[in-house]
Amino acid sequence: MLRAARIVYRGTINKRVVKEAKSPLQNLHAHRNQLSRVNLLRPLPGSVRCYSSFSRLPLRRSRLLTVYLAPQTHRNFWVGRLAARLLKLRYLLLGSAVGGGYTAKKTYDQWKEMFPDLSQYKWIVPDFVWELDEHINFDKLSKALPDSEDLAKLLPDFEKLGESFSLLKGWLTSEKFSKALPNYEDLAKLLPNFEKLGESFSLLKGWLTSDKLSTALPDSQDLAKLLPDFEKLGESFSLLKGWLTSGHNLVSEVIGPSDLLLLGSGDETAFKATDSQGFESSDKQYKKATDKEKVDQLQEELLQTQLKYQRILERLEKENKDLRKLLLQKDDKGIHQRKLKKSLIDMYSEVLDILSDYDANYNTQDHLPRVVVVGDQSAGKTSVLEMIAQARIFPRGSGEMMTRSPVKVTLSEGPHHVAMFKDSSREFDLTKESDLAALRDEIEVRMRKSVKNGQTVSPETISLSVKGPGIQRMVLVDLPGVINTMTSGMAPDTKETIFSISKAYMQNPNAIILCIQDGSVDAERSIVTDLVSQMDPQGRRTIFVLTKVDLAEKNVASPNRIQQIIEGKLFPMKALGYFAVVTGKGNSNESIDSIKDYEEEFFQGSSLLKKGMLKAHQVTTKNLSLAVSDCFWKMVRASVEQQADAFKATRFNLETEWKNNYPRLRELDRNELFEKAKNEILDEVISLTQVTPKHWEEILQKTLWERVSTHVIENIYLPAAQTMNSGTFNTTVDIKLKQWTDKQLPNKAVEVAWETLQKEFSRFMTEQKGKHDDIFDKLKEAVKEESIKRHKWNEQAEDSLRVIQHNALEDRSISDKQQWDAAIHFMEDTLQSRLKDTESVIRDMVGPDWRERWFSWTYRTPEQHIRSETKNELVKMLRVNEDHPAYLASDEVTTVRKNLEARGVEVDPVLIKDTWHQVYRKHFLKTALGHCNLCRRGFYYYQRHFVDSELECNDVVLFWRIQRMLGITANTLRQQLTNSEVRRLEKNVKEVLEDFAEDNGKKINLLTGKRVQLAEDLKKVREIQEKLEAFIEALHQEK
C-alpha cells in the first residue's frame, strides 16, 4: 500500500514538473504555491509551526502522518526528524536564492517600466554621458554576466526534485518514521534557541554521534535518492558567488564615473532609496493596490528622490563654484607675469563681432551659432536672460518697450562677477547695486543713441560680456519684443522693423531659437510661436520656454492646458525641448537669489510636478541654462569647421582678384591706408617750417598790397591829390592814414597772413611728389578744412601790429637815392596797373573800337553806343581844361547832355557822371605817371625840402611810406607765422588726424573705392579665418 501511494504521488509530481520545466523562472511562484499546499505533516502541539521560503504567505497547518517503518526505540525518532529538517534546509537556501533573485528582477522591471521615456531628450544630457563607453568596458560587463547554460546550472533539477518528494512522502508515511520521531519535549530541545544557540549545537553534536542515528535513518539507497547532487550544487553556488562578486566590482566601476547621471555621489545613488525590506513590503503593497495608486506612489517617490539629489547637486555646484573661483583668483594674480590666455567663449565672441561688421559681398554668410532670444513684448525674455546671467543687468519698465536694439551678451566663467562693453574698458561690478544701476543706465543710453530720429527700434547691436563663477558659457542675443499693435509715439514701421530684425537673426540655419512664451496669458494671443514655426518648421533648433508658470497655475482653469503646452501639443510649432520657469513675483527690485529660492519653493510644492504634468528636468532656469549651453556647444562643434572652410574659399577668391587687378600694389586695408596718408600729411605740415623767410615776406607783402591797394588809391591818394598845395596834401594823407591804421589795416594784415598760411598749406598738401595716388585726395582735403576751421589766430597780434604799422607810416624820411628810386618804381607800377584796369573798364563800357568792329565783325550795343558818345564828349571837355577837378558841376552835366541830344543821343545824367568817373580816372593816372617820371631826378630837391623848386614829389613820399609799412608788416607777420602759427596749425592737424583715426565712419567716407573695399574684405576674411582656426584648435584641445 505504501509503495502504491508513493508511485501515485511520484507520477503526479513528475507530470507537473515536466509541464512546468519548460519555463521554470516564469512559473516558479505557481510551483512554489502548489508545493506549499501539500499536506505532509500533522500540526505540532504548542506554537511550533512549519514555514517555507517558496511563498511569502505562511503555510497552512498540516497534520503529521503516522508512518510505521520498523520497530525502533523511542530515541530513534530524533534521527528521522533531524534528517527531515536537514533536507528542508537545502530547499530553504536554494529557494531563497532563486526566489529572491527573481523577485528582485521583477521589481526592477516594474520600476523600469515606471520611468518615462527620455530618448527624445538625449540632447539635454551632457556629452560626457554619451562618452561613458570610453571609461567603462561594456564588453567586460557582458562577459561577466552568466550565460543561459550557467544560469541553468544554478536551478535545481525539477525532475529529480519531484522524485525526491515522492520518496520523502513514502518514507515519512511509514510506521518506522513515526516511531523514530522524538517526543515533543525532546523536539522542543532540538529547536534553535537564539539566546542559547551554542548549547543547541552541542546537544545536536552529541545526538548525531550516537548509534541511534544510524538505525533510525533509511537505507543508503533511499537516502541517496532523496539527496540532491551536492557536487553540482556546489558548482552552482560557486558560479553564483563568482558572478555576484564580479558583478559587484563592475557595478562599482560603473557607479564611479557616472554618479552625475544619478544627480548624486557614488555613495548616494538612486538605488539606495529602498532596501531588501522595502522591496518585500512594496511587493505586498503593489499586490493590494491598484495600478493608479502604484503610479502615484512611484511618481511621488521619484519626485522626492529627484528633489533630494537636485539639492545635493546644487550644494556640490556651489562648492565647485567656490573652488573654481579660488582657482581663478589664484590664476588672476599671475596675469601681469604671463600672457593672458583668452577663454574659448571669448575667442568665439570675437569672431561674431568681426562677422557682424563683415559685408557679405562674396556669398559667405554668417552661419555661426548663437542663442537668439525671441518672444512677445513683456513675455519675460529679459528676465530669463538675467537669470541665466545671474544679474539684473537690463533696463526695466512696466509694460513699455525697453529692448530697443539687439543686445549680444557673451556669458563666460571668471573669478569675479563683472560686465564690460565691447568698445569700453570699464568693468561693472555686478555684486554692487551702484554698478548694476550704472550698467542699466549705460545700456539704455546706448539703445537710445542707436535709434535714429523718428524710429522706435534699431538694428544696431550692442555687444556686452558678462563673466562670473558658475555661469554657463554661451552667446545670447536679446531681441526687441514682438508686438501686435502699435501705440502712440511709435514709428509707423515699428512692427515691420521688429519682424525683419528677428527674421534676420533666426534665418541663420545654425542659430538656436529660445522661444519665450508668457504662461500667464492666453496661448492664442501669442505671435512669436507662428514666427518661430515659419523660421524653424521642424523644430530642430528651437527651445520653448514657458514663463510665469506660478501665475499660470493659479489662473488657468485646466492644468492639462499647461501640460499640452509643455508637451508641444497646443502650438503648431515644434521644438527640441520644452521648459517651464518662474522669473520672480513681479517685483523689479527682487534679487537673483530670491528669485531662485522662490522658483525652487514653487516647484517643490507645485501640483504640476507632483501629478507628473511636468518632469523635474523641464523646470527651473538652472536646468534651462544647462540645456541651452549644451545645445549651443553641440551646434558650434557641428558647424564651425564648415564655416572655416567657407571663409577659406572666400579668401582664395579675394586674393586672386587682387592679384589680377592690382599686381604691383600692397594689400593695404583702410586703417593701413589711413596711417600712410597720416604720415604724408604730417610731413607736409613739417615742410611749412622749412619755407624761407624771404619767401614768406614776399608773399605776405604782395598779398597785403593787393588787398589794400584799392583803398590806398581811391580813399587816400586820389582825394589828397585833388588838393591845391603840398601842405594840404600831407595833412589829408596823415589823417586818412591814421584812420586807416586804427580801424582796418591791422585786421586786413592778419587776414592776409592767415590766408597766406592756408594757401601755402594747401600748396604743400596738393603738391604732387613722385607718383600721385588720388586715393588720399578726399582725406587730405578734409584734414585741411577741419584743421583750418579749428585754427584761430592770436588776438593780441592785431594790437602789437597796429603800433608797428602806425610808427612805420609816420616816418617820411627817405635816407638814400635807392629808396627813392624804389618808391618811384613802386608808384609807377601801381599807377600803370590801375591805368590798365581803368582802360579795361572803359573798353567794356563803350564797346569795341573801329579796328575791332572792322576786323572782327563785332558791333556795339545801344548802351555802349550812348556811353561811347558820352565818353567822347567828356574827353573834349578835358582837353579844353586839363586841370579840371575830379567832380563835374551841374551845369557841366547839363551842357554835355544837351550836346549829346543835339546829335540825337538821349542820355541820363547818372550815366554821364558814371562815365566821367572812369574818364577822369584815366586822365588823372596818365598825369600822375608823367609826374612820376619828372620825380625820378627829384631826390636832390627832396633833400632840400623842395625849396626854390617848382617840383613837388609828395606823392612819391606817400608811396614810400606805404611801401615801408608793407615791408615791416610782412616781416612782423612772418615772424608770427614761423614762431607760433605754423606750430599751432601742425598741432591742429595732428588732433584732426587722431580724431579721424578714432572715427571709423570718417575713414569709410574719406577712403573709398574698389581697391580699398577689396583690401578691407580681404583683411576681414583673413582675420575671420585665422580666428576660426585658432578657436577650432582650442575647441579640440578642450575635448
Side-chain angles (χ1 to χ4, degrees):
M1 180 179 177
L2 179 62
R3 182 177 297 273
R6 186 168 53 200
I7 292 173
V8 171
Y9 180 77
R10 180 187 303 173
T12 304
I13 295 299
N14 288 342
K15 288 180 181 180
R16 292 181 180 178
V17 169
V18 170
K19 182 179 180 181
E20 296 174 1
K22 295 181 181 180
S23 56
L25 289 177
Q26 296 177 358
N27 301 318
L28 184 59
H29 285 286
H31 181 71
R32 179 180 58 196
N33 294 333
Q34 290 173 1
L35 292 178
S36 65
R37 288 193 293 267
V38 177
N39 298 325
L40 297 178
L41 301 175
R42 290 191 300 269
L44 294 177
S47 61
V48 178
R49 298 178 59 186
C50 299
Y51 293 90
S52 174
S53 64
F54 289 96
S55 175
R56 294 171 182 263
L57 298 176
L59 295 175
R60 292 179 297 177
R61 296 185 178 182
S62 58
R63 296 182 175 271
L64 291 174
L65 298 178
T66 305
V67 181
Y68 295 95
L69 297 178
Q72 299 288 341
T73 59
H74 179 72
R75 60 180 180 180
N76 285 341
F77 289 102
W78 291 81
V79 177
R81 190 63 178 169
L82 179 60
R85 293 299 181 182
L86 290 175
L87 291 175
K88 284 188 177 183
L89 181 62
R90 64 167 185 170
Y91 297 119
L92 287 173
L93 294 176
L94 184 60
S96 298
V98 177
Y102 178 75
T103 304
K105 181 179 181 303
K106 183 178 179 181
T107 306
Y108 170 75
D109 292 336
Q110 291 177 352
W111 273 68
K112 186 177 179 181
E113 291 175 359
M114 294 300 178
F115 278 99
D117 185 11
L118 301 177
S119 59
Q120 58 181 340
Y121 303 109
K122 287 184 178 179
W123 61 272
I124 299 178
V125 181
D127 291 339
F128 73 88
V129 177
W130 309 116
E131 298 172 359
L132 285 177
D133 55 347
E134 298 179 5
H135 307 284
I136 300 173
N137 192 349
F138 287 101
D139 294 335
K140 180 180 177 181
L141 178 62
S142 61
K143 292 178 181 179
L145 294 174
D147 53 14
S148 59
E149 297 178 357
D150 295 336
L151 190 61
K153 293 178 181 180
L154 295 176
L155 299 175
D157 190 348
F158 290 99
E159 296 180 357
K160 293 183 179 180
L161 189 63
E163 296 177 0
S164 299
F165 273 107
S166 299
L167 292 173
L168 179 64
K169 180 181 178 182
W171 179 64
L172 292 176
T173 54
S174 64
E175 297 179 356
K176 296 179 180 180
F177 185 78
S178 59
K179 294 180 179 180
L181 288 176
N183 55 22
Y184 298 125
E185 298 177 356
D186 295 334
L187 187 62
K189 294 180 181 180
L190 289 176
L191 292 177
N193 188 346
F194 294 101
E195 297 180 355
K196 299 180 179 180
L197 187 62
E199 297 178 2
S200 300
F201 276 102
S202 299
L203 291 173
L204 179 63
K205 180 179 179 182
W207 179 73
L208 290 175
T209 54
S210 64
D211 296 334
K212 297 178 181 181
L213 179 63
S214 59
T215 57
L217 288 174
D219 55 359
S220 59
Q221 296 180 356
D222 295 338
L223 188 62
K225 293 179 181 179
L226 290 174
L227 295 176
D229 192 345
F230 288 101
E231 295 181 357
K232 294 184 178 180
L233 186 62
E235 292 178 0
S236 301
F237 277 106
S238 299
L239 290 173
L240 180 62
K241 180 181 179 182
W243 178 70
L244 291 176
T245 304
S246 61
H248 177 268
N249 296 333
L250 190 61
V251 168
S252 301
E253 293 178 7
V254 173
I255 290 177
S258 63
D259 37 343
L260 282 178
L261 251 177
L262 305 174
L263 299 179
S265 62
D267 297 332
E268 289 183 285
T269 62
F271 297 107
K272 279 184 66 176
T274 57
D275 53 8
S276 58
Q277 295 178 358
F279 278 120
E280 197 169 322
S281 61
S282 298
D283 190 48
K284 294 179 181 179
Q285 291 177 1
Y286 294 153
K287 290 181 178 179
K288 297 178 181 179
T290 62
D291 292 341
K292 184 177 180 181
E293 292 175 350
K294 292 181 182 179
V295 172
D296 294 341
Q297 184 177 3
L298 284 175
Q299 286 182 348
E300 182 68 24
E301 293 178 359
L302 179 62
L303 178 61
Q304 295 298 328
T305 304
Q306 288 175 336
L307 292 177
K308 172 186 175 182
Y309 289 113
Q310 185 70 25
R311 287 191 291 270
I312 295 174
L313 178 62
E314 291 177 356
R315 177 176 57 80
L316 293 175
E317 286 180 348
K318 184 177 180 181
E319 294 175 358
N320 184 34
K321 183 191 297 185
D322 296 337
L323 291 175
R324 290 184 64 86
K325 182 176 180 180
L326 294 175
L327 181 60
L328 292 171
Q329 287 176 347
K330 182 178 180 181
D331 292 341
D332 193 40
K333 296 178 181 178
I335 288 177
H336 301 289
Q337 286 78 21
R338 58 182 172 83
K339 185 177 180 181
L340 182 62
K341 183 180 179 181
K342 293 183 179 179
S343 64
L344 196 64
I345 191 65
D346 290 336
M347 295 171 66
Y348 185 76
S349 180
E350 286 183 0
V351 175
L352 295 182
D353 290 337
I354 299 173
L355 284 173
S356 64
D357 301 330
Y358 174 66
D359 186 10
N361 293 327
Y362 297 90
N363 299 324
T364 305
Q365 302 294 332
D366 173 17
H367 289 165
L368 286 177
R370 69 264 283 163
V371 181
V372 181
V373 186
V374 296
D376 299 326
Q377 184 179 351
S378 302
K381 305 186 317 311
T382 303
S383 299
V384 171
L385 190 55
E386 286 179 337
M387 290 291 290
I388 296 176
Q390 300 181 14
R392 309 298 296 270
I393 59 178
F394 289 101
R396 306 168 191 172
S398 55
E400 60 178 329
M401 179 181 293
M402 299 305 299
T403 306
R404 298 180 178 271
S405 64
V407 181
K408 181 176 77 69
V409 183
T410 303
L411 301 178
S412 59
E413 192 173 20
H416 307 288
H417 202 185
V418 296
M420 182 187 299
F421 289 100
K422 166 190 169 185
D423 54 354
S424 175
S425 59
R426 178 184 177 184
E427 282 190 351
F428 296 88
D429 189 353
L430 301 184
T431 60
K432 298 180 180 178
E433 189 60 35
S434 58
D435 281 21
L436 278 172
L439 177 61
R440 289 192 290 266
D441 294 340
E442 180 67 19
I443 293 176
E444 186 173 3
V445 169
R446 286 174 179 259
M447 285 183 180
R448 296 190 181 277
K449 284 184 178 180
S450 64
V451 177
K452 297 179 180 179
N453 295 332
Q455 299 296 321
T456 306
V457 294
S458 170
E460 296 182 12
T461 303
I462 299 174
S463 184
L464 177 69
S465 64
V466 177
K467 297 183 179 181
I471 294 180
Q472 298 298 320
R473 303 177 302 168
M474 67 185 92
V475 177
L476 302 101
V477 182
D478 186 21
L479 300 180
V482 180
I483 60 174
N484 189 21
T485 305
M486 292 184 296
T487 59
S488 60
M490 289 186 178
D493 60 342
T494 301
K495 182 178 179 180
E496 291 75 14
T497 304
I498 294 175
F499 269 87
S500 64
I501 294 173
S502 302
K503 288 182 179 179
Y505 278 92
M506 288 191 292
Q507 69 184 1
N508 179 358
N510 295 320
I512 301 168
I513 303 173
L514 195 62
C515 180
I516 310 297
Q517 169 65 33
D518 189 351
S520 63
V521 299
D522 295 336
E524 289 76 11
R525 296 169 56 186
S526 175
I527 310 171
V528 70
T529 51
D530 294 336
L531 179 62
V532 172
S533 62
Q534 294 175 9
M535 305 307 296
D536 185 24
Q538 301 300 325
R540 296 175 180 174
R541 52 190 179 89
T542 301
I543 297 176
F544 182 84
V545 182
L546 186 67
T547 61
K548 306 177 184 178
V549 184
D550 52 341
L551 300 178
E553 187 179 25
K554 296 178 182 177
N555 301 333
V556 176
S558 175
N560 294 328
R561 191 174 179 84
I562 299 177
Q563 184 179 7
Q564 290 178 350
I565 295 175
I566 295 299
E567 291 178 352
K569 298 179 180 179
L570 188 63
F571 293 114
M573 61 170 288
K574 300 179 181 179
L576 281 173
Y578 297 84
F579 289 87
V581 299
V582 174
T583 55
K585 301 179 181 179
N587 186 4
S588 60
N589 296 323
E590 285 183 288
S591 64
I592 296 296
D593 293 335
S594 62
I595 295 176
K596 286 183 178 179
D597 295 339
Y598 173 70
E599 184 182 40
E600 181 180 356
E601 180 182 354
F602 167 75
F603 282 117
Q604 285 181 356
S606 175
S607 60
L608 298 174
L609 205 60
K610 291 181 178 179
K611 294 180 180 179
M613 298 181 183
L614 298 178
K615 305 299 185 296
H617 65 272
Q618 290 182 304
V619 298
T620 72
T621 51
K622 180 67 176 178
N623 291 335
L624 172 64
S625 63
L626 290 171
V628 173
S629 177
D630 183 69
C631 186
F632 169 76
W633 285 108
K634 282 185 178 179
M635 194 74 77
V636 168
R637 290 186 174 92
S639 62
V640 66
E641 293 186 358
Q642 182 180 1
Q643 282 283 288
D645 294 338
F647 279 101
K648 186 176 181 180
T650 303
R651 174 179 176 176
F652 176 78
N653 297 335
L654 292 175
E655 289 176 346
T656 304
E657 184 176 356
W658 181 273
K659 291 177 182 178
N660 294 333
N661 295 327
Y662 311 102
R664 298 183 179 180
L665 294 177
R666 289 179 56 200
E667 301 168 0
L668 299 178
D669 59 18
R670 187 171 279 110
N671 292 330
E672 293 172 337
L673 288 172
F674 182 82
E675 290 298 324
K676 183 178 179 180
K678 177 181 177 181
N679 294 332
E680 291 185 5
I681 293 171
L682 292 177
D683 292 341
E684 291 160 359
V685 174
I686 294 174
S687 300
L688 284 174
T689 60
Q690 300 175 358
V691 177
T692 61
K694 181 180 179 182
H695 180 73
W696 278 119
E697 292 181 9
E698 288 177 356
I699 297 175
L700 289 169
Q701 187 171 349
K702 180 181 178 182
T703 307
L704 181 60
W705 175 240
E706 290 176 355
R707 184 67 58 85
V708 301
S709 60
T710 302
H711 180 81
V712 171
I713 298 299
E714 301 293 337
N715 297 326
I716 298 176
Y717 175 62
L718 288 178
Q722 303 300 321
T723 59
M724 301 304 295
N725 52 62
S726 61
T728 307
F729 178 86
N730 291 331
T731 302
T732 303
V733 167
D734 290 342
I735 293 172
K736 291 188 175 294
L737 287 176
K738 180 69 168 57
Q739 293 175 352
W740 182 45
T741 304
D742 292 340
K743 296 180 180 181
Q744 300 180 8
L745 184 58
N747 183 263
K748 290 289 183 181
V750 171
E751 289 180 0
V752 167
W754 177 222
E755 291 177 1
T756 303
L757 180 60
Q758 294 181 38
K759 289 180 180 179
E760 288 298 305
F761 180 48
S762 301
R763 181 174 67 85
F764 280 106
M765 293 280 286
T766 57
E767 188 177 14
Q768 298 183 6
K769 298 177 182 179
K771 189 176 181 180
H772 178 65
D773 194 351
D774 57 356
I775 202 171
F776 299 137
D777 291 345
K778 289 178 66 176
L779 176 62
K780 289 183 177 180
E781 185 66 23
V783 171
K784 183 192 73 174
E785 292 178 357
E786 185 65 23
S787 301
I788 291 172
K789 181 180 178 181
R790 295 185 184 186
H791 186 81
K792 292 183 179 180
W793 201 273
N794 190 1
E795 297 178 354
Q796 298 179 355
E798 290 188 13
D799 298 334
S800 60
L801 191 60
R802 183 178 292 108
V803 176
I804 294 173
Q805 291 172 342
H806 183 73
N807 294 334
L809 290 173
E810 283 185 350
D811 188 8
R812 296 191 185 93
S813 59
I814 303 176
S815 58
D816 52 20
K817 182 68 168 57
Q818 185 178 1
Q819 293 181 358
W820 180 268
D821 292 340
I824 290 176
H825 180 70
F826 174 63
M827 177 181 175
E828 188 177 18
D829 291 343
T830 302
L831 294 177
Q832 285 180 354
S833 175
R834 292 294 167 178
L835 180 59
K836 290 179 180 180
D837 294 340
T838 303
E839 288 177 349
S840 176
V841 172
I842 293 174
R843 187 183 301 110
D844 295 336
M845 290 173 61
V846 301
D849 56 6
W850 63 274
R851 294 184 183 86
E852 294 177 358
R853 293 197 305 272
W854 179 261
F855 293 104
S856 303
W857 293 85
T858 56
Y859 301 95
R860 292 174 175 171
T861 62
E863 184 180 358
Q864 289 177 342
H865 178 71
I866 294 173
R867 284 186 177 277
S868 177
E869 294 295 332
T870 304
K871 183 204 107 172
N872 294 334
E873 190 66 26
L874 293 174
V875 170
K876 292 178 182 179
M877 184 184 296
L878 283 175
R879 289 175 182 173
V880 175
N881 184 11
E882 293 184 355
D883 296 332
H884 194 286
Y887 302 100
L888 282 176
S890 299
D891 55 348
E892 292 176 331
V893 174
T894 303
T895 301
V896 172
R897 183 171 60 80
K898 288 182 178 181
N899 292 338
L900 292 173
E901 289 176 355
R903 293 201 299 270
V905 179
E906 296 291 335
V907 64
D908 187 55
V910 178
L911 187 144
I912 295 173
K913 291 181 180 181
D914 190 25
T915 306
W916 166 256
H917 177 72
Q918 298 298 331
V919 172
Y920 180 79
R921 185 185 181 85
K922 179 180 179 181
H923 171 73
F924 173 79
L925 292 174
K926 287 183 175 181
T927 303
L929 283 172
H931 182 68
C932 184
N933 290 330
L934 293 176
C935 290
R936 288 181 182 277
R937 57 182 182 274
F939 181 69
Y940 171 74
Y941 299 102
Y942 166 76
Q943 290 180 329
R944 297 180 61 185
H945 303 288
F946 299 104
V947 177
D948 298 334
S949 174
E950 296 179 357
L951 183 63
E952 293 183 355
C953 297
N954 294 316
D955 49 357
V956 176
V957 176
L958 170 63
F959 278 92
W960 180 84
R961 294 166 69 183
I962 297 295
Q963 186 182 30
R964 186 169 180 271
M965 182 272 299
L966 292 175
I968 294 174
T969 302
N971 182 269
T972 304
L973 293 175
R974 188 267 306 167
Q975 292 180 10
Q976 186 174 1
L977 282 172
T978 56
N979 293 335
S980 62
E981 300 302 330
V982 172
R983 295 180 180 177
R984 290 175 59 221
L985 179 62
E986 181 181 357
K987 181 181 178 182
N988 291 337
V989 171
K990 290 181 180 179
E991 291 177 354
V992 171
L993 289 173
E994 289 176 359
D995 294 344
F996 282 8
E998 296 176 357
D999 191 348
N1000 196 40
K1002 283 280 187 181
K1003 290 189 288 187
I1004 293 175
N1005 294 331
L1006 298 176
L1007 294 173
T1008 58
K1010 181 180 178 181
R1011 170 184 156 195
V1012 180
Q1013 190 61 42
L1014 184 58
E1016 193 72 14
D1017 291 338
L1018 186 55
K1019 173 200 171 183
K1020 286 186 177 180
V1021 169
R1022 282 176 178 167
E1023 186 178 6
I1024 291 170
Q1025 183 197 357
E1026 291 172 358
K1027 288 188 177 294
L1028 278 176
E1029 290 177 352
F1031 171 74
I1032 292 171
E1033 182 179 358
L1035 189 64
H1036 291 328
Q1037 291 177 357
E1038 190 184 56
K1039 287 184 180 180

